[in-house]
Amino acid sequence: MARPEAWQLIAENYPVSVVTQTRFQDIDPNRHLNNVAFASMFENARVRLNRALRPWGDRPKNERSMVAAVTINYLREGQYPDDVEISSGVSKIGTSSYVIAQAMFQNGHCIATCDSIIVCRTDGEGKPLRAEVVAELEKMRTTG
């Protein structure tokens, strides 16, 4: 697995940030945040970004966004009870998909990164992103 690029490790390169509390149930037997907790926190921040991009009520009923792939790089151990900050943005825009890039920070350190490929489907088939969607995605671009 490729290591994250240097720009991905800097919170200021992402347009959106969410602070999330860690939970006791998120720890493993070694008292570190477990991999499922990382995935869950990234998912919550990703959904918040998607909802901010395209309010659900504004899209056609036959249009769906689906997660096609998720890649998480675990860089450091996460600790309970310290909060994490998850920074998110759009790093790539394709014809019918886009990539949400994220980084998780705790106590001043990047502890994980996540890239999620989101595919737009209309009537059950991959279709080009609508111009209005692309315009919204451009507003959420990462600066790395």
Side-chain angles (χ1 to χ4, degrees):
M1 180 179 302
R3 301 266 313 151
E5 295 181 39
W7 71 265
Q8 292 177 286
L9 308 177
I10 302 169
E12 292 76 22
N13 289 332
Y14 300 85
V16 177
S17 221
V18 174
V19 174
T20 301
Q21 291 181 328
T22 59
R23 305 169 305 172
F24 180 77
Q25 69 191 43
D26 293 336
I27 61 174
D28 62 20
N30 296 319
R31 302 193 58 80
H32 303 125
L33 298 178
N34 66 50
N35 61 331
V36 174
F38 277 77
S40 176
M41 289 185 277
F42 276 128
E43 176 186 45
N44 185 54
R46 181 178 67 241
V47 168
R48 287 175 178 253
L49 177 70
N50 268 327
R51 289 182 66 91
L53 282 170
R54 299 187 325 174
W56 293 39
D58 292 349
R59 70 179 177 190
K61 292 184 188 279
N62 61 339
E63 182 181 275
R64 302 265 187 256
S65 297
M66 302 173 67
V67 175
V70 175
T71 302
I72 299 174
N73 289 302
Y74 302 95
L75 307 174
R76 292 176 176 250
E77 295 169 343
Q79 306 295 321
Y80 169 82
D82 301 343
D83 290 348
V84 297
E85 181 176 356
I86 302 167
S87 298
S88 306
V90 175
S91 62
K92 295 178 186 156
I93 302 172
T95 302
S96 62
S97 65
Y98 57 99
V99 176
I100 295 177
Q102 298 175 286
M104 185 181 297
F105 300 90
Q106 190 177 55
N107 301 320
H109 299 283
C110 184
I111 62 173
T113 62
C114 179
D115 288 321
S116 301
I117 299 172
I118 311 299
V119 177
C120 181
R121 296 181 56 84
T122 304
D123 295 325
E125 297 180 11
K127 299 281 183 173
L129 295 165
R130 290 181 288 116
E132 325 61 277
V133 173
V134 172
E136 289 297 309
L137 292 171
E138 289 291 351
K139 294 176 188 176
M140 295 293 184
R141 281 280 203 172
T142 56
T143 56

